[in-house]
Amino acid sequence: MRSAKRKLILVLITSALWGCAEMGGGMAAKSAGGIPLGSTGPHAVQPLPDKPRFGQPMGEAELAAWNIDIRTPDGRGLPAGRGSVAEGKKVYEAKCVACHGADAKGGPMYGTMVGGIGSFITNTRVLTPGSMYPYAPILFDYIRRAMPMDRPQTLSADEVYAVSAYLLNLNGLVPGDAVMDAARLAQVQMPNRNGFLLDDRPDTKSLRCMSNCR
């Protein structure tokens, strides 16, 4: 009986050593079901590049498509285009009235955009473009960037000029036959133009820098 047990143990040890020898010799190991488990040898390591290679240089023409910033005091950066009060009313009723309500007097999403002029020097301020914005190009910049809320930056420059003209007219700042473009929009005098303090702290200024930045 003991002899049979010794023979069985010897067979198991031999089988185990033979399996190790096969794996060490480069033969693929297998699972109990005979599925190859892959090689256990070293894998080749791909050398890393000398420096990161992220993207490619961007030219000024490509950058211009992304640079929609407007210098609001004088309108620098406003695009070509034009729009009248009458055209703006049509655009507004098609793409803005659902959130802002009829005649921009407030809707389900936003409050009024009309009136409140002069209220910023009182305790009952009414926040509208006419009562708060110091420069009219701010209106164009905000509409182009953020409106309509569900499709921002889908309005053409002509449409944004037109809606700007319409809202300025509703606030009594331009006549009903006004046409807005880059030059005329910057000339509109906003009632709250002098209602802000200039922030001249050093950390509010920045310069465009691409190399050797400080």
Side-chain angles (χ1 to χ4, degrees), residues 21 36 45 50 60 77 81 107 110 123 126 138 146 192 198 204 209:
V45 177
D50 295 335
E60 291 296 328
Y110 299 103
N123 292 327
V126 180
I138 296 175
N192 201 35
L198 178 65
T204 63
C209 178

Side-chain angles (χ1 to χ4, degrees), residues 65-186:
W66 293 86
N67 181 18
I68 61 173
D69 183 59
I70 295 172
R71 192 167 68 185
T72 54
D74 60 6
R76 181 179 178 181
L78 283 168
R82 65 188 298 281
S84 68
V85 172
E87 292 167 338
K89 179 178 175 63
K90 294 178 181 179
V91 176
Y92 180 90
E93 291 177 347
K95 301 182 178 182
C96 311
V97 71
C99 290
H100 293 278
D103 301 321
K105 293 181 179 178
M109 296 298 297
Y110 299 103
T112 183
M113 290 193 291
V114 178
I117 293 177
S119 66
F120 264 57
I121 59 175
T122 71
N123 292 327
T124 56
R125 291 180 293 178
V126 180
L127 178 61
T128 72
S131 69
M132 189 189 82
Y133 291 175
Y135 310 111
I138 296 175
L139 183 58
F140 182 101
D141 185 61
Y142 182 76
I143 294 172
R144 179 168 67 165
R145 288 178 185 274
M147 295 292 137
M149 184 179 68
D150 60 336
R151 298 182 305 279
Q153 299 187 32
T154 60
L155 297 177
S156 68
D158 288 346
E159 289 177 316
V160 180
Y161 277 121
V163 173
S164 299
Y166 178 60
L167 292 176
L168 291 171
N169 173 255
L170 290 177
N171 280 278
L173 302 177
V174 299
D177 60 351
V179 177
M180 291 292 107
D181 57 20
R184 294 170 183 170
L185 187 63

Side-chain angles (χ1 to χ4, degrees), residues 16-29 39-42:
L17 292 174
W18 177 254
C20 292
E22 285 185 341
M23 294 178 65
M27 297 181 67
S39 172
T40 59

